[in-house]
Amino acid sequence: MILSNDHHDAPVGIFDSGVGGLSVLRHIQAQLPNEHLLYFADSAFAPYGDKPEHVVVQRVLDIAAFLASRGAKALVVACNTATVAAVRVLRERYPAMPIVGVEPGLKPAAASTRNGTVGVLATERTLRGEKFLLLRDQVAAATGARFLLQACVGLADQIEFGEPGAPALDAMLERYIAPLLAEGADTLVLGCTHYPLVQASIERVLRQHAAREVVLIDTGEAVARQLARLLEAANLLRGTGHEPAHLEGFTSASGTALTAAFASLLGQQVPVREVAVGATLSNPLGTHI
């Protein structure tokens, strides 16, 4: 895609440690159907949750630089771990650019719970993050909600690289979700963008173990709304009457795998390129899939 000099016509860059951010991208497409989109899956470095913070920060800056080099007018950090580790640094690096991060939906969960007990499924790094813990304390103090934190070690990796609906996935979900239900959680926060991609499997576990209805909180829709607000405030919305919106994919790993993920998860055939970011940013474009 050749970008127009019109800043309204420039794309929005979206990135995640892998395919999890597609759960956010589908909400952005639904709410902003006229926007050109660039999606970067950093699958070669997934998962982020077990990486040192400085490594995650550098990856975020490298990917943002790549998307900026492709003309991105705004950035969506479609990864909870990356948001916790690096969104502040990213906003300092690009102070004039609209940037939206993802955080676990503690506020909507507190509003949804009927008995005041909320389970939070997320990566270890997200749950240890100062930003997250501050948010938890603020929401708990304001609402009286009790948050049960469950670090889901290996779950994002299983979703990224495992087989959908595989017994190993169901066993892992049961191991993480059943204790929260046993402690009375009637609301579960999907605190990683990978998790909504296996919502059907999560609901299957809930049917087996929950004695009552359990509400699932996915913040992808809220992220899309915030992006729309920021683009409108900055006069960056792409209007109707132009050529149809384009979606391009980039990955640090297998282009074939990301192409398959677009097809299976979004039902779309999307052009994908394998790229290297960071030290090789000066020559970013690789093989077209």
Side-chain angles (χ1 to χ4, degrees):
M1 179 179 73
I2 298 176
L3 300 178
S4 165
N5 290 326
D6 179 3
H7 61 286
H8 298 94
D9 208 40
V12 173
I14 304 160
F15 65 94
D16 178 48
S17 60
V19 302
L22 296 182
S23 68
V24 176
L25 185 146
R26 62 188 177 190
H27 286 291
I28 293 173
Q29 285 186 312
Q31 292 197 35
L32 295 166
N34 297 315
E35 295 295 335
H36 295 313
L37 303 176
L38 309 175
Y39 184 83
F40 190 102
D42 196 19
S43 298
F45 287 82
Y48 282 175
D50 62 0
K51 303 291 191 301
E53 183 170 309
H54 73 276
V55 172
V56 176
V57 170
Q58 190 58 55
R59 289 305 296 173
V60 167
L61 292 176
D62 288 343
I63 293 166
F66 168 73
L67 293 171
S69 78
R70 297 288 300 174
K73 64 184 177 184
L75 294 174
V76 176
V77 187
C79 173
N80 294 80
T81 300
T83 297
V84 167
V87 75
R88 179 184 59 81
V89 176
L90 192 61
R91 287 173 175 149
E92 291 172 355
R93 180 70 58 91
Y94 300 96
M97 180 182 288
I99 296 174
V100 182
V102 177
E103 63 182 23
L106 303 190
K107 293 178 184 177
S112 296
T113 181
R114 301 177 301 281
N115 66 5
T117 302
V118 175
V120 182
L121 303 167
T123 67
E124 284 187 294
R125 179 164 296 284
T126 293
L127 297 180
R128 289 199 310 265
E130 182 180 349
K131 186 173 185 287
F132 168 80
L133 293 173
L134 178 61
L135 176 65
R136 179 203 58 182
D137 293 345
Q138 290 174 338
V139 176
T143 66
R146 179 170 68 112
F147 292 103
L148 309 175
L149 309 185
Q150 178 61 66
C152 300
V153 178
L155 181 55
D157 219 10
Q158 177 66 35
I159 296 169
E160 181 80 21
F161 302 111
E163 291 293 327
L169 173 62
D170 284 356
M172 188 174 287
L173 289 171
E174 183 172 358
R175 184 164 71 250
Y176 292 139
I177 293 173
L180 300 177
L181 301 178
E183 288 195 55
D186 70 354
T187 303
L188 293 181
V189 175
L190 305 183
C192 171
T193 54
H194 279 73
Y195 302 168
L197 298 177
V198 293
Q199 184 165 330
S201 296
I202 292 172
E203 290 173 346
R204 186 161 56 247
V205 172
L206 294 179
R207 286 194 297 270
Q208 294 172 351
H209 293 275
R212 57 198 171 278
E213 180 186 2
V214 176
V215 176
L216 298 177
I217 303 295
D218 167 17
T219 57
E221 185 175 356
V223 170
R225 287 198 303 269
Q226 176 66 0
L227 175 62
R229 284 193 290 266
L230 292 181
L231 291 178
E232 183 175 17
N235 191 29
L236 289 172
L237 282 172
R238 184 172 183 266
T240 58
H242 297 79
E243 64 173 310
H246 298 287
L247 168 61
E248 288 184 281
F250 303 90
T251 180
S252 57
S254 166
T256 301
L258 182 57
T259 299
F262 277 123
S264 64
L265 299 174
L266 299 182
Q268 299 178 37
Q269 297 300 316
V270 178
V272 171
R273 291 180 185 269
E274 296 174 1
V275 303
V277 300
T280 57
L281 183 60
S282 60
N283 183 28
L285 297 185
T287 304
H288 185 273
I289 303 299

